[in-house]
Each structure stands twice: as structure tokens, then as C-alpha cells.
Amino acid sequence: ARTNRALSSTATFAERLVHFWANHFTISTTRVTVYPFAGLYEREVIRPGMTGGFSDLLLNVCRHPAMLLYLDQAQSRGPTSPAGQRANTGLNENLAREVLELMTLGAQGGYTQADVTEFAKALTGWTLVSKPVRERVPTLELGAFVFIPQFHEPGPRTVLGKTYAQAGEDQAAAILRDLSVHPATARTIATKLARHFISDEPPPGAVAALAAAFTRSNGSLPALHETLIGLPEAWDAQARKFKSPNDFIVSGLRLTGLNKVEDRALIAAYTQLGQVPYRAPSPKGWPDDAASWSGGDALMKRIEWAQALGQRLGSSIKPAERANDVLGPVLRPVTRQAIERAESADQGLTLALMSPEFQWR
């Protein structure tokens, strides 16, 4: 569904933003329990969240069952909470650590292990409705977010030098709100956006402009995205990105004119090229640099996929015309000539898909 939406959409920038933010706030079905929630997570949190503020998006990400399960927050109990003392279950720091390191401040953001532990204690009680909980409270929806006071570690928490004395669920929410507007968070988001949309080596001026827009707008994502579009660096012909497997498959299918593909064929393609949606190898998400996707083996797999697509669809299209429509002035005369002189239409389509120009965006 995700790829077919990207194929049929005319709002291609918005679709790319969905993929960017979903990767920034990674969940992965490498944890089997996450599988039923993966698509819902993107539809319920990421897509609607792009039109609001970073603070709200961060809060909703941390409350969604997919994230609670992926980073084991659902099992976390305060060491001296009633549930922690009774069941002898422990504190889990995964969500707290990844929020600080990957979602907000960044690895060099100035936090300490003590901050991670304190934040993790504040997050205790954030869980989802299990069958035992629903048996006690039948009105609750199974699998939905719920705050359970008996799981929460009592007392104030100190994170980044600030003490949070709020009670219950509000304590972690207050910490998340402060993290969402921290200067280090602005730099983290600005750097990742510039790396994804402009260059593997983000231009310092672009990063500074994006960070300033983030801070000035109090984390407004529409304002941030608008700033990105207006950056001169974003339109520099020398600033380009090597396509990830996801980019390559979506753009390749769009070149053929397809706007819907069977899920089985899509999963096979993503598996072959090594980037199955919702299966990132770690909370860091998928890598966003050319070196990770441009090795010899990776390129051979692209050739094999392009050849198979060419054999299936080449005879139904005019590859040279499609390549010209898609690549425009980027298409070199020598490449166009090679496509036009191909022995067959399917070979022409393969050449178009594997041309040097088509590997970059």
C-alpha cells in the first residue's frame, strides 16, 4: 500500500517526507510483535504528524503501540513502583535512550547516562492495553496506549539539569516537550533533512538555515519543509543523492507508468535489493548515504531487477521517450542514443533504469 500510494501520488515531495520521517522515527517488524501495527503507525502518526509540530509528532510516536513494543517500553516498570516491587520486573531504558540519541538531541547532544535513566523512570507507566488490563477495564481498546500509575516510578526526575515534579503521565510528556525544542534537536533534524534531500555531506549553510527555521517556528514541520524547498543548495545541480533501493524501485516503476503493483511483487523486489519497508535493521533506521547502497553486489541486484522489469514491460512502452520525460536535461545524449539503439525495447528499458543518470536523484 505504501509503494502504490507513492506510485499514484502527484504529491511526490509529501511522499518523500513520509519516508523520511518514518525512517527518523524507525520501528521495525524484525520484532514480530510490531508487525500488526507497522502500517497503522505510518498512517496514524507519521502522515498526519507532518502537518503539525515536531513536539506533537514526537509525543504521538512515543505513545504508539508500534514504538512501545519495538523498544520494549510496554514492559518497563519503575523499580520502586507497586508493580515493580510486586513482580520484580525492571526498568527498560531503550525508548529513553533512542529518543535522546536518535530522535532529538543526537549522540553528541550533551546528555549523560544519568539523564537516560532518569528519563526512563519518567516514562514508566507508558504502556499499551493488554488482555489482563482490558479484563479489568473492558472499555479500553486492546492494544491502545494507556498510562498505568502502578507501573510508574514515583518522585521527581532530573533530566539535562532540569527537575520535573509532574505527576504520572505528565512527567515524561513535559520532558519530551522540552527535548523537542532543544537547540541540539534543531541541529539534529536540520542535519538529517539536509543529508536526505541535498547531499551526503550536508552543506553547513543549509543546516544552519533549517535549524534556524526549526527554532524560529517552535518546531513547525510545514515551516521547516517550506524552508527546505527554498534553499538554494536544494536546487544546486551538483548536490545529488544516490538512490536507495526504495527510491530506485519507486522511481523505476514510475518510469514505466505503473501506478499499482501487487504486494507480492513489491516485497520480492525490496527483498532482492535489501530494503524491505518496516524492516530496518536497527533503531537507527536505514542508512542515508551512497556508500551503503552503491557496492558491486548491490548494483548487480539492481541490474537483475531492471532486466526482469524490462522483460515484463519493455515491449509496452517506448524506453527512450520515458527516459527523456523522467530525466529531462539530466539525460546525456550518449545515454539516450544507447537506449534508442538497444536491440529490443526490454533491453532499452533496462539500459534506461541502469543508466548512471537514473541512479541519482
Side-chain angles (χ1 to χ4, degrees):
R2 179 198 224 202
T3 300
N4 284 325
R5 185 162 184 167
L7 291 176
S8 61
S9 175
T10 57
T12 53
F13 178 58
E15 288 303 308
R16 181 168 293 285
L17 285 170
V18 170
H19 292 191
F20 169 80
W21 286 112
N23 196 50
H24 178 72
F25 293 114
T26 291
I27 52 97
S28 178
T29 58
T30 53
R31 298 294 299 271
V32 177
T33 53
V34 175
Y35 188 85
F37 299 99
L40 290 173
Y41 173 73
E42 188 168 293
R43 290 195 298 273
E44 295 174 348
V45 177
I46 302 300
R47 286 185 179 276
M50 296 192 315
T51 61
F54 182 80
S55 179
D56 290 338
L57 178 55
L58 176 64
L59 196 64
N60 290 332
V61 159
C62 292
R63 284 174 167 159
H64 197 275
M67 188 63 74
L68 294 170
L69 290 168
Y70 179 49
L71 294 179
D72 299 313
Q73 178 59 36
Q75 287 76 46
S76 186
R77 306 288 185 269
T80 66
S81 69
Q85 291 180 316
R86 183 172 61 251
N88 196 30
T89 52
L91 181 70
N92 190 291
E93 298 182 349
N94 288 353
L95 180 59
R97 180 177 294 104
E98 305 308 356
V99 167
L100 291 166
E101 179 181 346
L102 301 177
M103 303 180 199
T104 59
L105 305 183
Q108 306 303 317
Y111 65 90
T112 66
Q113 176 56 41
D115 292 320
V116 174
T117 301
E118 284 286 276
F119 184 23
K121 289 179 179 179
L123 282 165
T124 51
W126 288 44
T127 186
L128 49 80
V129 178
S130 61
K131 288 183 179 179
V133 171
R134 193 181 185 191
E135 287 173 0
R136 293 197 298 270
V137 188
T139 56
L140 294 177
E141 180 185 352
L142 189 65
F145 170 80
V146 66
F147 177 79
I148 299 182
Q150 291 81 3
F151 295 176
H152 184 65
E153 180 70 6
R157 307 266 72 88
T158 300
V159 178
L160 298 177
K162 179 176 178 178
T163 298
Y164 296 84
Q166 292 88 344
E169 180 184 352
D170 292 341
Q171 189 175 67
I175 297 172
L176 285 166
R177 281 193 291 271
D178 284 349
L179 289 174
S180 72
V181 295
H182 195 282
T185 299
R187 290 192 297 272
T188 295
I189 300 303
T191 301
K192 291 187 72 171
L193 268 174
R195 180 177 294 118
H196 182 79
F197 284 95
I198 301 175
S199 172
D200 286 0
E201 297 296 331
V207 173
L210 289 167
F214 186 96
T215 301
R216 185 171 57 249
S217 67
N218 202 32
S220 166
L221 297 185
L224 185 64
H225 302 155
E226 184 177 351
T227 299
L228 173 64
I229 294 173
L231 291 174
E233 295 92 335
W235 302 96
D236 187 342
Q238 300 304 312
R240 57 181 191 162
K241 291 282 296 182
F242 191 82
K243 292 179 181 178
S244 67
N246 178 80
D247 292 336
F248 181 69
I249 290 170
V250 171
S251 60
L253 293 171
R254 285 179 70 96
L255 183 144
T256 68
L258 288 176
N259 56 23
K260 188 173 184 180
V261 180
E262 292 182 357
D263 288 346
R264 183 183 302 178
L266 289 171
I267 293 299
Y270 286 119
T271 301
Q272 180 181 355
L273 271 62
Q275 193 181 19
V276 179
Y278 312 125
R279 286 192 68 82
S282 79
K284 291 182 179 180
W286 295 105
D288 201 6
D289 62 296
S292 298
W293 303 116
S294 59
D297 182 62
L299 291 178
M300 281 302 302
K301 290 177 179 177
R302 291 191 184 204
I303 292 172
E304 292 168 359
W305 182 78
Q307 287 175 330
L309 190 64
Q311 291 168 2
R312 178 186 169 195
L313 298 173
S315 60
S316 64
I317 66 174
K318 296 179 179 179
E321 290 185 8
R322 288 291 175 86
N324 189 65
D325 290 342
V326 170
L327 295 170
V330 175
L331 183 65
R332 297 174 301 164
V334 65
T335 301
R336 180 181 176 89
Q337 187 178 71
I339 297 170
E340 290 174 335
R341 292 182 177 180
E343 294 181 0
S344 62
D346 59 320
Q347 187 183 79
L349 179 55
T350 302
L351 289 172
L353 293 172
M354 290 309 302
S355 65
E357 298 94 317
F358 196 75
Q359 304 311 303
W360 298 82
R361 60 170 174 84

